[in-house]
Structures are given as C-alpha cells and as structure tokens.
Amino acid sequence: MARGFDELRRALDHDALDVLQPDVVLALGISGARTIADLALRRNRWFTPHTWTNGIGLLANLHVSCGVGGGPFLEYPYDPPGWTPERRDFMLAQPVRIDPDGCLAIGDAPGLGIDLDEDAISHYARQATA
C-alpha cells in the first residue's frame, strides 16, 4: 500500500520490488503513476496498477497502464456476489467488462472514455443552498 512517489522510487532504488502496483486514484494520480511506471519498466520491473476502486478508477488505471506499456496483467476488481461490475460501476452508463478472451478494450472516446449515468449519480448530488 505504498501511497507516495518517493516511497516507490526508494523501493526501486533498493531493488526491493519486482512488481509495482500504485493505484492512480489512491496513490499517485495519473502523472505520478505514469512516471513511476516508466522508471519501473526501465529497470525491467512490472507495472500493473492496483485497481480496487470503481469503474472510473479502473479506466484511469487501464489508460495509464496501456499508455506506458505496463502489464502483462491488469488487476480487474471482481469478487461476486458483493463486488460485481454492476455494483462497482454504478455511476457509469455501462459497466466495464472483460471480453471473452479476458481483455479490456481501452475505447476511443475522449479522455478516459467515461460515460456517466446521470440518473444513478443524481441520488448523491448535493443540492446548493441559497
């Protein structure tokens, strides 16, 4: 559960990790994860982000991993009956699903390709007070 860039960099400097799994959402952000991934891959280490948040976090981690050539695997949060794509991705118009070959498509929509389900998230919207 390393959460900081310097902590992960020191681990790389001391050859302490074979696999780096910082989560874009919970640890380094997109830029920090991309930078540490580049350092790890240059040292022949694996970069495969920890993705146990929601569909938005999964897509953010997927984009970083694909952008740097990470892998060979991406952690896919799935633990039924409680943690299903529908529950994990309630805020998305469609849950993020793996294809029959076990792959995730990165998509070609702008940004992270997120299509929010406005009705699903309206329940959690905070109303402005006058």
Side-chain angles (χ1 to χ4, degrees), residues 50-55 57-58 74-80 83-85 88-89 96 104:
H50 181 67
T51 63
W52 281 85
T53 55
N54 55 41
L58 172 58
L74 183 78
E75 194 172 44
Y76 181 80
Y78 180 75
D79 191 16
W83 201 239
T84 61
R88 179 195 66 219
D89 303 343
V96 179
L104 287 174

Side-chain angles (χ1 to χ4, degrees), residues 76-100:
Y76 181 80
Y78 180 75
D79 191 16
W83 201 239
T84 61
E86 293 77 19
R87 188 170 189 181
R88 179 195 66 219
D89 303 343
F90 77 92
M91 77 297 293
L92 300 178
Q94 295 293 321
V96 179
R97 297 193 186 278
I98 56 172
D99 70 17

Side-chain angles (χ1 to χ4, degrees), residues 22-97:
D23 188 300
V24 166
V25 176
L26 301 175
L28 301 181
I30 290 174
S31 179
R34 197 242 172 269
T35 302
I36 202 73
D38 186 51
L39 293 172
L41 294 169
R42 287 172 183 260
R43 295 178 189 197
N44 296 314
R45 299 295 181 249
W46 282 6
F47 172 79
T48 178
H50 181 67
T51 63
W52 281 85
T53 55
N54 55 41
I56 296 171
L58 172 58
L59 290 170
N61 281 300
L62 173 65
H63 276 74
V64 169
S65 188
C66 288
V68 299
F73 306 106
L74 183 78
E75 194 172 44
Y76 181 80
Y78 180 75
D79 191 16
W83 201 239
T84 61
E86 293 77 19
R87 188 170 189 181
R88 179 195 66 219
D89 303 343
F90 77 92
M91 77 297 293
L92 300 178
Q94 295 293 321
V96 179
R97 297 193 186 278

